[in-house]
Amino acid sequence: MQKACSTHGSLVPLALRIPAGIIFMAHGAQKLFGWFGGYGLEGTGQWLASIGLEPGYLMALAAGSAEFFGGIALLIGLLIRPAALALAVTMLVAIFSVHVANGLFMSNNGYEFALSLLAITVSLAISGAGRASLDRYLTRQVQ
């Protein structure tokens, strides 16, 4: 637990965690609950099955949970390294299963947005949550 929560004292990760956390939470809520114009688990699961990601419902549950709960973890700075790793894997799946055939640009449903989120999550997996985080608070309490 100590290793998963370890982080340095910088505020820099906060600048990545907050916007990425909001984005991931919103996208996860679309998949899980149908909020913000999403299709919920059933609709997302059907779509994922239609592009070959089977079983669609479980894939929607996995992606939606990683995004929603991972987004919450980013916002509060709790277990950033495992959360960022799960989100990075989710972004890799999105890039290679949905977006890569469309090229780079978002205007063509390309992978540039997912690539940006991948870069953020990899950075957070390396750096940890930073000073303003529950990870930092917890590791200081254990020492």
Side-chain angles (χ1 to χ4, degrees):
M1 185 70 162
Q2 179 80 13
K3 207 166 211 171
C5 291
S6 68
T7 187
H8 56 77
S10 174
L11 284 174
V12 173
L14 185 64
L16 297 175
R17 286 186 14 238
I18 299 304
I22 292 168
I23 291 165
F24 278 118
M25 267 184 45
H27 281 267
Q30 286 180 316
K31 290 173 181 71
L32 292 176
F33 313 121
W35 297 352
F36 311 115
Y39 298 105
L41 281 174
E42 281 298 322
T44 303
Q46 289 172 4
W47 179 76
L48 289 171
S50 78
I51 63 166
L53 292 173
E54 295 277 357
Y57 185 87
L58 290 178
M59 293 298 282
L61 182 62
S65 295
E67 291 176 354
F68 185 74
F69 296 108
I72 291 171
L74 294 185
L75 281 174
I76 63 176
L78 181 63
L79 296 171
I80 288 298
R81 285 193 165 96
L85 182 60
L87 291 166
V89 169
T90 303
M91 290 301 94
L92 283 170
V93 171
I95 288 169
F96 288 108
S97 64
V98 178
H99 301 290
V100 78
N102 301 318
L104 175 66
F105 297 105
M106 276 178 46
S107 59
N108 298 324
N109 196 29
Y111 59 88
E112 77 177 309
F113 184 61
L115 183 63
S116 299
L117 291 174
L118 175 62
I120 290 169
T121 56
V122 168
S123 174
L124 290 171
I126 293 167
S127 72
R131 183 185 312 163
S133 68
L134 285 177
D135 281 354
R136 173 108 171 157
Y137 175 78
L138 291 173
T139 55
R140 295 180 105 199
Q141 296 303 313
V142 173
Q143 293 175 353

